[in-house]
Amino acid sequence: MNDGLSTIEQQITSDYKYGFTSNLEADQAPKGLNEDIIRFISGRKKEPEWMLEWRLKAYRNWLKMEVPDWANIKYPAVDFQDIIYYSAPKQSKKLNSLDEIDPELRRTFEKLGISLDEQKRLSGVAVDAVIDSVSVATTFREQLGELGIIFCSISEAIQEHPELIKKYIGSVVPMTDNFYAALNSAVFTDGSFCYIPKGVRCPMELSTYFRINAENTGQFERTLIVAEEGSYVSYLEGCTAPMRDENQLHAAVVELVAMDHAEIKYSTVQNWYPGDKEGKGGIYNFVTKRGICAGVHSKISWTQVETGSAVTWKYPSCILKGDHSIGEFYSVAVTNHHQQADTGTKMIHLGKNTRSRIVSKGISAGVSHNSYRGLVSVAKNASNARNFSQCDSLLLGDRCGAHTFPYIEVKNNTAQVEHEATTSKIGEDQIFYCNQRGIDTETAVALIVNGFAKEVMNQLPMEFAVEAQKLLAITLEGSVG
Amino acid sequence: MSTINIIKDKARELGTTQADALQPIRSAALASFDKLGVPAVKHEEWKYTRISQLFNQSYKIGTDTVDSKLNWELFRLPEFETANELVFINGVYNAAASTVRSAGLVVLPLEEAAKGEYASIVSKHLGHSAEYLKDGINALNTSFLVGGVFIGVNRSTEIEHPVYIYTINDGRAENVFAQPRTLVHVAANAGVMFVETYGSIGHADHFTNQVMEVVVEQDARIEYYKIQNDHAGASLVSTTHFRQVGKSYVHAVTISLNGAMVRNNLNMVMEAEYCESNMYGLYFTSDSCHVDNHTIVDNAKPHCLSNEYYKGILDGASTGVFNGKIFVRQDAQKINAFQSNKNILLSDTASVYTKPQLEIFADDVKCSHGCTIGRLDEEGLFYLRSRGITEATAKSLLLHSFAVDILEQVKPDAIRVYIDQLISERLGSYYGNAYPI
């Protein structure tokens, strides 16, 4: 049709480019889940007793919970006993430099286009690469260490900073929060931990690449970011996964804690294997992400570009507890073929003068279903709360669906809450308007598509925006028209 | 024995005493009520309206005989002298009190309609709302299908006199549980206007569970106004289900001013191309009044237009719930659907729960929804104050103008003036009669 739309269509019709399996030797737990498996995981990670107890408690809670069925998604029931809960690439010793890394692993990264050393040299991004479940390389640690920033895998943090982990883990997403959060709390194998001390502005974007590697391995990441008073951090999370037939379960938990005047910016590009055109295979992505603005004037900002996964169930949320705190949520979700996405956010206004902003853009194509589900809640004592939400959907094709489920609960009369949503295809009147002004149809469509997602894409950090554009293939600026 | 069991027993008893054409429908509904039960908080559509608490007290089931000397005339709407008046007392149609003036307007007991010339219409359309409202409350009404009424408007007839429907409960002695049921059939190219209101005599608590199903044929036009201003002990679930089977026009306005727990289900099922429906609502509540407006617009065919605009003013410890669903089915292209919900909170203890929901399966559509929640506009107040208008008058003026958007959708003058008076009285009680209308 034209450049702008065809790039989207290319993305939509293209096969998954990042599907390949690395032949890494994996150290695996037997299939299934019971207390012994949890002990096995905890043992492998050489965890202290309190951590094991915490995991077991979560597991016992999980046993009592039921699989949530309220989301607008359909998928065959997951057999939780048919999953390998622990798998680590064989690694005999800790590495000091990237050169020591398994060459197979290096090639995997290169195929992904995120060669570690190149990133290290050129982009100034510290990468804590996670292949399957164990961190194999952490760069820039020393440089960050000078500022007092802790950026390491969560298993290391459990060993080295138990007081911080004890204090914050489960403080934002309690182990009883929901079915998948409980499961994650019981069996999480790795993830990142980030601690920004008082008054420190993190000089670089922190980034972790998650990859799912061994066959039949559920990935249970746990990320915890704590920003102390007056600090700032921008954290990037990006995902690509190998092509495979069996559905894989991913149930991550991300917790953010922002103290007085602190700011956390969390960006995600998610491009896991969405299944083939018939809807076979693909990742199940059931993620619990939540941040708490614990201190006054704190800010948490979520930005996500969701293009992958067969089923997505994800609601990055903000609890605005501190007075004058700010929560933001920017999202672009693209679904195609048989993909299903039920995503959105929760903004819980508890403190006074809190503000939140939600911008969600959904693009559905093929026979996919894209839902926005959000909650804006203003508690009784949250005076002068302000919220603005906008969720727009663009439909490409007549067999797909776009759904909006915004819940708004206001219990304070000083609150000002606005919500607006639209669903449309590219309007003929819009094109006509451009045509009238001498812009040809091709350019007009490009312009409109550009504009549709721009508000969100603009929120991504520069380095990541490039990545996002590559993955999305909605090449916005400069490549259309 | 719990209230629910008493109700079930009563419904079973109906099965033995009433052996008419409707009995299979009743027993099927009872079986479905047995299965579904009363919606609990977990039921998504009843999340904010805890209907089950209404079953904690005992009621007189409203199929018993009524007092013929009941003074229901109290609730008569303006210009009733030239209107058709249909009166339901304790959920049962009362032919003696009712007046049918217009030629072309057929009013029959449902049991009779089910076997006469309207039998096919009744069997085809009665209970259609259950497909959209899959909960025990709807089934419960159907399981008590006694004393309902069939209203038919003949082909190509413009009903000159409005049809006033009064739902009256006699609560002088005991609590009443009333379940009126109406099936309306508006034949091709006919036009009719309904105004519905509710009233209670005596101060006992009531629970009215009403279902009205309206079938709109090709080129038919309907105006429908609902005025709810009952006392604070009167709870109401009022379901109005429009089924547009031909290209037609529906204009519905719901005004809720008082009551205990009021739930309005308004459905627009557009089964033909080029249907148009407008849904307007105003809720102005205080004290512990709870008003819940649930609407469903189902666009099953292309080229339909729907407009939805609900406004709320909430004072005291009142609660407003708005849940608007718009479905656009696959192949229902070229749909225009608009939805808007605006709320003003006047007190610290009032709350609003709103959920404007879109479910869209077709690509060539224009759907939008929006909602706002806030206080009275500070700038507007300042503007008026700076021109020497007292604060009370300014607030009264602003609230009145907020309501006018909906009020002006009430087309018959007499009814509009009547509602306007109710609103002005309410504003007067807040801010004094500084702003006489």
Side-chain angles (χ1 to χ4, degrees):
Chain A
M1 188 173 169
N2 64 64
D3 283 345
L5 200 58
S6 64
T7 28
I8 298 181
E9 277 169 353
Q10 264 168 32
Q11 157 72 12
I12 280 161
T13 48
S14 69
D15 281 332
Y16 188 75
K17 269 190 285 207
Y18 302 108
F20 47 84
T21 311
S22 319
N23 294 319
L24 289 168
E25 262 184 275
D27 171 12
Q28 290 189 166
K31 262 188 192 173
L33 182 58
N34 52 47
E35 294 202 2
D36 288 340
I37 293 287
I38 292 166
R39 288 200 175 86
F40 173 86
I41 295 170
S42 195
R44 278 303 154 100
K45 310 231 119 226
K46 301 188 183 67
E47 283 175 359
E49 189 60 26
W50 59 267
M51 198 65 233
L52 175 63
E53 283 309 313
W54 195 79
R55 282 174 183 274
L56 289 172
K57 202 171 155 199
Y59 172 70
R60 285 163 201 152
N61 272 310
W62 177 75
L63 286 176
K64 285 181 232 149
M65 295 167 114
E66 278 172 28
V67 181
D69 59 357
W70 43 263
N72 189 24
I73 48 181
K74 285 188 194 79
Y75 56 94
V78 176
D79 182 358
F80 293 96
Q81 296 304 336
D82 195 35
I83 294 172
I84 297 162
Y85 286 87
Y86 180 82
S87 150
K90 272 215 170 126
Q91 201 88 62
S92 49
K93 58 181 191 328
K94 274 271 167 208
L95 301 167
N96 295 317
S97 84
L98 294 169
D99 301 333
E100 294 171 42
I101 271 182
D102 187 340
E104 181 76 16
L105 194 58
R106 290 292 289 278
R107 273 196 293 279
T108 309
F109 283 124
E110 274 153 29
K111 275 189 233 169
L112 273 174
I114 55 144
S115 122
L116 281 179
D117 37 7
E118 201 165 84
Q119 290 225 3
K120 198 173 173 180
R121 231 183 12 254
L122 298 173
S123 58
V125 174
V127 176
D128 178 14
V130 174
I131 277 242
D132 275 336
S133 311
V134 172
S135 299
V136 288
T138 304
T139 52
F140 282 95
R141 172 100 54 98
E142 280 166 36
Q143 210 180 320
L144 293 170
E146 279 167 28
L147 290 163
I149 296 171
I150 304 167
F151 180 43
C152 61
S153 74
I154 201 141
S155 350
E156 277 176 81
I158 290 167
Q159 314 268 352
E160 289 165 28
H161 310 281
E163 68 300 338
L164 287 172
I165 299 291
K166 252 187 189 167
K167 187 171 171 192
Y168 291 111
I169 198 163
S171 68
V172 189
V173 180
M175 60 170 80
T176 51
D177 190 76
N178 67 63
F179 183 82
Y180 293 107
L183 179 63
N184 177 289
S185 303
V187 302
F188 72 89
T189 42
D190 217 332
S192 301
F193 172 69
C194 179
Y195 177 82
I196 318 291
K198 192 171 165 179
V200 172
R201 193 182 162 85
C202 184
M204 61 192 85
E205 317 271 355
L206 301 179
S207 154
T208 305
Y209 274 81
F210 295 97
R211 276 189 59 81
I212 295 178
N213 208 289
E215 202 126 9
N216 291 327
T217 313
Q219 185 100 345
F220 301 92
E221 301 292 340
R222 184 115 197 160
T223 303
L224 174 61
I225 300 176
V226 180
E228 284 288 1
E229 194 181 329
S231 63
Y232 167 85
V233 63
S234 167
Y235 189 88
L236 317 176
E237 174 199 54
C239 318
T240 52
M243 192 127 164
R244 67 181 71 255
D245 264 337
E246 239 167 290
N247 288 306
Q248 283 189 309
L249 176 69
H250 181 102
V253 170
V254 177
E255 295 177 284
L256 311 182
V257 182
M259 299 308 195
D260 291 359
H261 299 273
E263 180 178 347
I264 302 175
K265 189 175 164 66
Y266 195 103
S267 315
T268 311
V269 170
Q270 188 263 106
N271 186 32
W272 284 330
Y273 180 51
D276 63 15
K277 283 175 190 144
E278 277 71 51
K280 193 161 172 261
I283 306 285
Y284 292 170
N285 188 20
F286 303 134
V287 185
T288 309
K289 288 183 169 178
R290 194 175 301 152
I292 182 165
C293 286
V296 297
H297 292 279
S298 52
K299 178 177 175 182
I300 288 178
S301 172
W302 298 98
T303 308
Q304 61 174 23
V305 176
E306 300 277 324
T307 59
S309 293
V311 180
T312 305
W313 180 95
K314 179 178 176 186
Y315 315 93
S317 309
C318 297
I319 300 168
L320 303 168
K321 189 174 163 221
D323 294 350
H324 303 276
S325 57
I326 300 171
E328 288 177 346
F329 174 75
Y330 297 93
S331 165
V332 172
V334 184
T335 56
N336 188 29
H337 303 315
H338 288 266
Q339 272 177 282
Q340 304 172 67
D342 193 308
T343 183
T345 184
K346 284 183 186 177
M347 293 290 172
I348 317 281
H349 293 259
L350 300 175
K352 293 179 173 48
N353 306 312
T354 48
R355 280 185 286 157
S356 64
R357 183 182 171 84
I358 299 169
V359 178
S360 167
K361 307 277 180 182
I363 302 167
S364 6
V367 287
S368 67
H369 287 277
N370 203 328
S371 307
Y372 166 81
R373 184 185 301 276
L375 168 70
V376 174
S377 160
V378 179
K380 213 166 174 47
N381 297 319
S383 40
N384 297 316
R386 185 82 179 85
N387 161 268
F388 173 76
S389 319
Q390 185 180 355
C391 41
D392 298 330
S393 311
L394 195 63
L395 292 153
L396 306 170
D398 56 4
R399 285 286 174 270
C400 50
H403 315 269
T404 349
F405 307 89
Y407 292 74
I408 296 151
E409 307 182 1
V410 178
K411 292 182 181 151
N412 186 300
N413 72 328
T414 58
Q416 231 189 90
V417 178
E418 291 164 65
H419 173 95
E420 43 179 72
T422 60
T423 302
S424 56
K425 65 170 195 171
I426 294 173
E428 278 164 31
D429 52 341
Q430 291 170 315
I431 291 173
F432 178 69
Y433 181 92
C434 294
N435 286 161
Q436 264 186 321
R437 278 148 187 81
I439 301 168
D440 64 58
T441 307
E442 287 192 2
T443 321
V445 174
L447 203 69
I448 293 157
V449 171
N450 247 313
F452 184 74
K454 192 172 170 181
E455 214 175 335
V456 175
M457 301 301 270
N458 279 351
Q459 295 298 323
L460 287 170
M462 193 53 203
E463 299 87 338
F464 224 32
V466 176
E467 174 94 1
Q469 282 171 5
K470 200 161 92 191
L471 289 178
L472 262 172
I474 308 173
T475 328
L476 293 172
E477 294 292 350
S479 65
V480 211
Chain B
M1 195 151 70
S2 76
T3 308
I4 291 174
N5 286 335
I6 295 171
I7 291 170
K8 280 185 185 170
D9 280 356
K10 190 86 185 172
R12 262 179 227 115
E13 200 184 303
L14 276 180
T16 55
T17 56
Q18 309 275 330
D20 52 49
L22 299 176
Q23 187 47 37
I25 302 177
R26 276 192 286 261
S27 45
L30 183 62
S32 134
F33 176 67
D34 267 334
K35 200 173 87 203
L36 296 164
V38 173
V41 189
K42 282 237 165 180
H43 194 296
E44 182 66 25
E45 302 306 325
W46 295 88
K47 194 173 170 191
Y48 303 112
T49 302
R50 303 190 173 182
I51 195 81
S52 57
Q53 71 194 45
L54 294 179
F55 291 90
N56 292 340
Q57 50 184 328
S58 60
Y59 295 99
K60 181 176 82 174
I61 312 274
T63 49
D64 299 345
T65 47
V66 288
D67 181 353
S68 58
K69 290 190 285 294
L70 193 73
N71 185 24
W72 66 271
E73 286 90 347
L74 222 67
F75 299 100
R76 276 185 153 169
L77 291 165
E79 297 186 355
F80 65 87
E81 301 88 346
T82 53
N84 299 290
E85 293 183 293
L86 309 182
V87 184
F88 287 85
I89 293 172
N90 293 351
V92 176
Y93 177 62
N94 191 317
S98 306
T99 321
V100 178
R101 269 175 227 281
S102 306
L105 183 73
V106 179
V107 180
L108 287 174
L110 257 180
E111 291 84 348
E112 231 170 88
K115 50 189 186 216
E117 62 172 306
Y118 299 101
S120 66
I121 293 171
V122 173
S123 69
K124 193 170 165 200
H125 299 291
L126 188 69
H128 189 255
S129 58
E131 287 178 28
Y132 287 81
L133 304 165
K134 292 182 174 111
D135 59 47
I137 295 295
N138 186 278
L140 186 57
N141 178 293
T142 312
S143 63
F144 276 87
L145 252 178
V146 173
V149 77
F150 172 83
I151 304 172
V153 180
N154 289 346
R155 199 183 165 87
S156 300
T157 315
E158 185 74 41
I159 302 294
E160 181 192 354
H161 311 289
V163 181
Y164 290 176
I165 301 175
Y166 302 95
T167 302
I168 310 292
N169 285 333
D170 175 9
R172 287 172 301 184
E174 20 179 1
N175 298 343
V176 173
F177 178 43
Q179 302 206 86
R181 179 75 174 225
T182 319
L183 176 66
V184 181
H185 179 257
V186 186
N189 198 28
V192 64
M193 180 177 98
F194 292 98
V195 184
E196 214 175 344
T197 190
Y198 304 82
S200 298
I201 295 164
H203 291 281
D205 289 349
H206 303 299
F207 177 23
T208 306
N209 176 21
Q210 179 200 30
V211 175
M212 179 172 182
E213 290 166 317
V214 187
V215 184
V216 195
E217 299 275 2
Q218 179 83 11
D219 299 320
R221 304 160 301 279
I222 293 192
E223 281 177 51
Y224 175 81
Y225 304 101
K226 185 148 56 181
I227 307 161
Q228 296 162 336
N229 191 27
D230 212 343
H231 74 75
S235 293
L236 171 67
V237 176
S238 171
T239 300
T240 312
H241 180 83
F242 288 94
R243 187 176 185 189
Q244 294 177 271
V245 294
K247 177 191 90 185
S248 53
Y249 173 83
V250 177
H251 180 92
V253 183
T254 309
I255 309 282
S256 311
L257 300 173
N258 204 2
M261 183 183 280
V262 177
R263 159 73 171 244
N264 292 308
N265 293 314
L266 178 61
N267 302 343
M268 294 286 174
V269 181
M270 298 161 135
E271 294 182 355
E273 293 187 25
Y274 302 101
C275 285
E276 178 177 343
S277 54
N278 296 307
M279 309 154 90
Y280 297 94
L282 174 70
Y283 40 101
F284 185 177
T285 56
S286 58
D287 303 321
S288 58
C289 178
H290 177 107
V291 173
D292 177 351
N293 278 297
H294 264 61
T295 67
I296 298 175
V297 177
D298 182 8
N299 292 286
K301 284 277 154 44
H303 301 286
C304 291
L305 170 69
S306 68
N307 241 318
E308 191 172 358
Y309 196 12
Y310 274 74
K311 285 186 137 183
I313 303 170
L314 298 125
D315 191 28
S318 66
T319 311
V321 181
F322 175 79
N323 187 326
K325 267 191 206 168
I326 297 178
F327 292 102
V328 177
R329 296 216 216 144
Q330 220 163 59
D331 302 326
Q333 304 289 5
K334 312 271 182 203
I335 295 289
N336 276 310
F338 304 102
Q339 187 184 66
S340 179
N341 174 233
K342 294 185 176 170
N343 296 283
I344 290 183
L345 292 172
L346 290 180
S347 76
D348 295 342
T349 42
S351 42
V352 168
Y353 303 94
T354 169
K355 184 183 164 205
Q357 181 178 336
L358 296 175
E359 296 211 35
I360 295 169
F361 297 89
D363 64 337
D364 192 4
V365 297
K366 278 239 161 165
C367 295
S368 62
H369 67 195
C371 69
T372 58
I373 299 166
R375 274 184 296 184
L376 270 180
D377 179 24
E378 303 265 333
E379 278 179 38
L381 270 178
F382 178 77
Y383 178 91
L384 293 170
R385 293 297 311 277
S386 66
R387 275 148 186 82
I389 294 166
T390 63
E391 190 177 339
T393 311
K395 282 185 173 166
S396 185
L397 262 171
L398 285 173
L399 288 175
H400 193 260
S401 65
F402 181 77
V404 155
D405 278 350
I406 305 300
L407 269 180
E408 64 190 15
Q409 296 300 333
V410 180
K411 294 178 188 170
D413 293 337
I415 301 296
R416 188 177 57 250
V417 169
Y418 169 74
I419 298 168
D420 201 351
Q421 265 164 5
L422 294 175
I423 290 167
S424 301
E425 270 168 34
R426 174 78 61 85
L427 288 172
S429 72
Y430 286 2
Y431 304 111
N433 287 319
Y435 173 54
I437 299 151

